[in-house]
Amino acid sequence: MHELIKLAIHSDTEAFLQLMDESSLSMYKVARGILKNDQDIADAVQETILRCYEKIGTLKKPQYFKTWMIRILINECTNILRLRQKEFAPEEMQDCVWEESSFAEAEFKLMLDQMDEKYRVILILYYVEELKIHEIAQILDMNVSTVKTRLARARIHLKQMYFPEQKNTKGTIAGPSEVKGGISNEWSQNITKAEIRSLG
């Protein structure tokens, strides 16, 4: 992909189109974390592709392409959200149907949909797109400590949703090993493994 980025920066249209094709799944996942309407997601991705095409010549370092692209995408999603809020047409904001590879993935996405956008976006960028903390801070235009704080709070919210009213004697949310039974043990194990990853 690095060579494609360099070619695209130097106005190679075919390289740019191939680059966008390879990035389409990442763009969809991030947009889906912010928007819920299929048409809005498609519009955000299309506008992002257009903006990238117009501005890719200004990208100085090819290694920063992904964070640069996602920042443009998030800006486009935010613009659409603002427009929808002004229109205030709830009947048009219907959830799209996901094709899931596993029940655990479906369950995780369902819980993401219930979270506040500021937490949902960070979870997607960190766990789905596997971006570093400093990259997320750059994309969202916030300091590293704020990203770490929101990520920690988002993890707590996820546990609270998955283990409602299941607390240990210290008053903290119980971990998967402390809860007997329950659905989707695969999902809970995935979250536990993810939590021990180093931040930053």
Side-chain angles (χ1 to χ4, degrees):
M1 181 176 282
H2 186 78
E3 287 302 316
L4 283 177
I5 296 170
K6 291 173 65 176
L7 289 171
I9 289 174
H10 290 90
S11 303
D12 187 320
T13 301
E14 289 301 318
F16 175 81
L17 292 175
Q18 186 176 342
L19 183 62
M20 290 296 101
D21 185 59
E22 293 183 8
S23 303
S24 61
L25 182 57
S26 289
M27 287 191 286
Y28 177 83
K29 288 178 178 178
V30 173
R32 178 62 180 80
I34 303 172
L35 307 169
K36 294 185 179 181
N37 180 280
D38 272 335
Q39 186 57 55
D40 287 344
I41 293 169
D43 289 345
V45 171
Q46 289 174 3
E47 285 299 316
T48 299
I49 292 173
L50 178 60
R51 296 288 177 269
C52 286
Y53 183 73
E54 293 172 342
K55 299 178 180 180
I56 196 167
T58 65
L59 182 63
K60 303 301 182 183
K61 297 182 179 180
Q63 63 266 34
Y64 295 144
F65 168 76
K66 186 172 183 177
T67 54
W68 174 80
M69 177 192 70
I70 292 177
R71 186 169 187 176
I72 292 174
L73 175 61
I74 289 176
N75 286 339
E76 293 300 329
C77 290
T78 301
N79 290 339
I80 290 174
L81 279 179
R82 288 172 181 164
L83 179 61
R84 286 289 176 262
Q85 288 170 353
K86 289 181 180 179
E87 292 177 350
F88 194 67
E91 67 276 4
E92 294 180 4
M93 303 296 287
Q94 300 175 355
D95 288 345
C96 68
V97 177
W98 285 78
E99 293 183 3
E100 309 298 350
S101 59
S102 68
F103 177 78
E105 183 181 358
E107 192 174 18
F108 179 68
K109 288 173 181 175
L110 178 62
M111 291 188 177
L112 282 180
D113 284 346
Q114 300 175 46
M115 299 189 71
D116 187 284
E117 179 193 335
K118 65 182 179 182
Y119 299 130
R120 186 170 66 244
V121 171
I122 285 178
L123 283 171
I124 290 171
L125 293 178
Y126 188 74
Y127 288 122
V128 179
E129 291 304 306
E130 299 183 343
L131 294 176
K132 301 292 186 182
I133 292 293
H134 72 272
E135 292 175 325
I136 297 173
Q138 181 182 4
I139 289 170
L140 300 180
D141 194 22
M142 60 179 62
N143 59 53
V144 168
S145 62
T146 300
V147 174
K148 288 183 177 181
T149 298
R150 290 191 180 182
L151 182 59
R153 289 176 179 173
R155 289 167 168 167
I156 292 172
H157 289 323
L158 280 175
K159 281 189 175 181
Q160 288 174 336
M161 284 188 286
Y162 191 73
F163 303 113
E165 300 180 358
Q166 294 286 341
K167 296 184 179 181
N168 60 27
T169 55
K170 294 183 180 180
T172 57
I173 302 300
S177 61
E178 300 176 81
V179 180
K180 294 181 180 180
I183 58 173
S184 187
N185 185 52
E186 177 187 356
W187 183 87
S188 61
Q189 288 175 347
N190 289 342
I191 291 299
T192 303
K193 291 177 182 177
E195 285 192 297
I196 64 175
R197 290 178 53 186
S198 172
L199 295 181

